[in-house]
């Protein structure tokens, strides 16, 4: 039997969010009655095209862009790949990319496999991060060369919530004649973004991170930026991305963007206060617990906490028995545990990296839920440490 969502304490919103009921309601007519192809010449399809136009305007307004700068894609990963590969196609003589050691796999894996995918050699500069997850801007500036085709740096880290100064970095890149892309999947809807005032050329976002459905994303392409499509086909998206539009999801994303704009203040006040209360309660009541990431330069909803001498997967299993959903900072691969590449890059001690838990909240979370987690987590950690041969309570 499926678990009733009302019985779940969902603190895994950086993985995916609940589709807002208002978004579902907005989508339903386009899954039933209004099924015309928006590219058709007849009025039945034309009314669908008009709805897509309105959704495009809503997305653009949330991020301070013009509607014609919005390209709908299938997800953030497609948007990331499109931006980076477009730059390499635009400047085939340039073989250098600058990114960070803490990027999402959507960027990290692409850069690692570029030579195989393109049949050409590339040089990748992997910018390190400080122990609090922040970047050194001077080191970034020195990494740029005449051979650099594009910089790709996430707006906010998906594991720690640490926010990078991408607006300043984009200007530095432009001063060196280099294109700049940011994976803003985690940032959109949580922090104010006004692309009209930045030098950012490409920005990726994903609907399922801001209460829209899975399977819909956006690539922002600044007006005047050279661009080569990733998917070629029909004339959709003004020739920038072939394929019949995912109509219902696009319209749902438009509604979600309207709601995100209206909820921005709540994200940065009430949700942030809940996040801070959760952090404080866990750090004060559980020995050898530490916060991963800069204390202030973080998304308002994200807390990554390590509990030394226990495994993150074991913690999650015990949390799951209480219907508490969160994520671990480590991953299980081929039967052996590997700490998160983000935490490794930050130099988090091995004894703590395996026991990291990411709590990510949303506007749907309540103080009662946070109180419940604060009440239950100390005993979960204590019981697991009692089984650990490495734990000696001070």
């Amino acid at each position: 039997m499926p678990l009733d969502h009302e019985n779940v304490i969902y603190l895994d919103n950086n993985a995916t969010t609940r589709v807002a009921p208002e978004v579902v309601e907005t989508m339903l007519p386009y899954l039933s009655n209004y099924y015309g192809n928006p590219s058709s010449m007849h009025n039945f399809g034309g009314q669908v095209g008009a709805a897509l136009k309105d959704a495009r305007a809503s997305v653009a307004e949330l991020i301070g862009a013009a509607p014609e700068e919005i390209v709908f894609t299938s997800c953030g990963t497609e948007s990331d790949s499109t931006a980076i590969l477009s730059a390499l196609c635009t400047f085939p003589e340039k073989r250098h990319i600058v990114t960070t050691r803490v990027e999402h796999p959507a960027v990290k894996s692409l850069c690692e496999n570029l030579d195989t995918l393109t049949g050409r050699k590339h040089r990748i500069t992997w910018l390190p991060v400080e122990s609090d997850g922040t970047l050194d801007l001077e080191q970034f500036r020195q990494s740029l060369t005449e051979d650099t085709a594009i910089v790709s740096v996430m707006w906010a880290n998906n594991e720690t919530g640490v926010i990078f100064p991408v607006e300043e970095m984009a200007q530095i890149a432009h001063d060196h004649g280099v294109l700049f892309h940011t994976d803003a999947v985690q940032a959109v809807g949580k922090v104010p973004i006004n692309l009209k005032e930045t030098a950012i050329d490409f920005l990726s976002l994903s609907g399922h991170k801001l209460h829209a459905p899975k399977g819909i994303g956006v690539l922002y392409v600044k007006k005047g930026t050279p661009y080569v499509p990733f998917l070629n086909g029909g004339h959709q998206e003004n020739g920038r991305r072939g394929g019949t539009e995912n109509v219902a999801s696009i319209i749902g994303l438009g509604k979600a963007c309207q709601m995100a704009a209206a909820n921005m203040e709540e994200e940065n006040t009430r949700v942030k206060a809940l996040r801070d209360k959760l952090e404080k309660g866990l750090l004060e009541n559980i020995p050898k617990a530490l916060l991963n990431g800069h204390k202030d330069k973080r998304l308002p909803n994200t807390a990554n906490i390590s509990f030394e001498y226990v495994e993150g997967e074991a913690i999650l299993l015990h949390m799951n028995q209480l219907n508490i959903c969160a994520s671990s900072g480590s991953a299980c691969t081929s039967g052996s545990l590997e700490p998160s590449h983000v935490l490794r890059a930050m130099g988090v001690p091995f004894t703590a990296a395996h026991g990291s838990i990411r709590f990510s909240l949303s506007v749907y979370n309540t103080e009662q839920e946070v109180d419940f987690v604060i009440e239950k987590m100390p005993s979960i950690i204590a019981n697991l440490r009692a089984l650990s041969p490495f734990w000696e309570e001070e």
Side-chain angles (χ1 to χ4, degrees):
M1 289 290 292
L3 189 63
D4 190 337
H5 71 88
E6 293 183 357
N7 296 323
V8 169
I9 297 177
Y10 190 76
L11 302 176
D12 200 17
N13 288 277
N14 284 11
T16 196
T17 56
R18 169 190 181 183
V19 180
E22 298 91 336
V23 170
V24 175
E25 183 179 358
T26 302
M27 293 173 61
L28 285 176
Y30 297 91
L31 293 168
S32 54
N33 297 334
Y34 300 104
Y35 52 83
N37 190 316
S39 297
S40 297
M41 294 295 293
H42 46 68
N43 290 339
F44 189 63
Q47 64 186 345
V48 178
L52 289 189
K53 182 178 179 181
D54 291 342
R56 195 183 305 275
S58 296
V59 174
E61 185 174 359
L62 178 63
I63 59 175
E68 59 270 21
E69 295 174 314
I70 301 300
V71 179
F72 290 115
T73 66
S74 65
C75 58
T77 298
E78 183 193 329
S79 299
D80 291 343
S81 290
T82 301
I84 293 170
L85 294 174
S86 173
L88 294 177
C89 288
T90 301
F91 304 109
E93 74 282 3
K94 296 186 177 184
R95 305 292 181 87
H96 180 227
I97 296 173
V98 177
T99 186
T100 78
R101 291 182 181 173
V102 296
E103 292 300 306
H104 187 277
V107 169
K108 181 174 180 287
S109 294
L110 176 66
C111 290
E112 290 172 340
N113 291 284
L114 266 180
D115 292 357
T116 301
L117 291 170
T118 64
R120 300 189 303 164
K121 289 287 185 181
H122 295 85
R123 182 170 63 89
I124 313 296
T125 294
W126 302 93
L127 296 172
V129 293
E130 306 292 340
S131 60
D132 62 0
T134 57
L135 286 168
D136 183 335
L137 282 182
E138 184 55 36
Q139 193 169 27
F140 164 64
R141 184 179 284 105
Q142 293 175 5
S143 72
L144 301 172
T145 73
E146 292 182 356
D147 191 42
T148 307
I150 191 168
V151 173
S152 183
V153 174
M154 61 194 346
W155 197 302
N157 186 264
N158 53 299
E159 292 191 28
T160 64
V162 170
I163 295 173
F164 293 140
V166 293
E167 293 161 308
E168 186 175 353
M169 297 176 80
Q171 188 57 58
I172 294 171
H174 267 222
D175 291 344
H176 287 75
V178 177
L179 294 176
F180 188 92
H181 164 254
T182 181
D183 179 332
V185 163
Q186 295 296 342
V188 172
K190 298 171 189 169
V191 296
I193 295 175
N194 187 357
L195 293 173
K196 289 186 179 73
E197 298 179 353
T198 78
I200 292 169
D201 299 291
F202 299 106
L203 176 144
S204 304
L205 69 88
S206 184
H208 76 105
K209 306 295 187 179
L210 62 152
H211 305 290
K214 302 171 184 67
I216 182 64
V218 164
L219 177 63
Y220 158 84
V221 183
K222 192 178 190 69
K223 186 177 180 180
T225 300
Y227 176 81
V228 177
F230 180 59
L231 290 181
N232 291 279
H235 62 273
Q236 295 90 354
E237 301 301 298
N238 289 321
R240 296 175 297 180
R241 198 268 189 183
T244 303
E245 298 90 345
N246 182 0
V247 171
S249 293
I250 289 172
I251 290 170
L253 176 58
K255 179 63 175 180
C257 286
Q258 292 175 5
M259 296 178 64
N263 292 333
M264 189 80 68
E265 183 178 354
E266 183 180 1
E267 282 275 0
N268 287 274
T269 53
R270 188 184 70 83
V271 174
K272 182 177 183 294
L274 288 179
R275 190 276 311 271
D276 291 346
K277 180 177 183 178
L278 177 63
E279 275 181 14
K280 186 172 185 290
L282 297 181
L283 294 174
E284 288 183 353
N285 291 290
I286 301 176
K288 296 291 184 180
L290 59 96
L291 177 68
N292 297 314
H294 194 281
K295 186 177 185 301
D296 301 314
K297 297 176 183 177
R298 258 186 310 148
L299 295 174
N301 78 316
T302 305
N304 188 305
I305 299 177
S306 286
F307 305 96
E308 287 199 271
Y309 304 106
V310 287
E311 294 290 351
E313 285 71 19
I315 300 171
L316 290 178
L317 286 173
H318 283 72
M319 293 172 65
N320 186 58
Q321 292 175 357
L322 298 172
N323 293 337
I324 303 170
C325 301
S327 291
S328 174
S330 57
C332 185
T333 306
S334 302
S336 64
L337 289 172
E338 287 294 332
S340 150
H341 72 282
V342 174
L343 300 186
R344 291 203 311 269
M346 292 166 59
V348 174
F350 184 82
T351 55
H354 277 301
S356 66
I357 300 295
R358 181 189 67 187
F359 302 91
S360 47
L361 288 70
S362 81
V363 293
Y364 292 107
N365 288 118
T366 67
E367 189 165 11
Q368 290 76 18
E369 291 176 333
V370 168
D371 288 339
F372 183 81
V373 175
I374 292 172
E375 175 191 349
K376 298 299 182 181
M377 284 298 294
S379 60
I380 290 175
I381 302 302
N383 291 338
L384 289 173
R385 282 174 172 168
L387 302 174
S388 171
F390 304 106
W391 171 250
E392 294 182 8
E393 189 170 2
E394 296 182 358

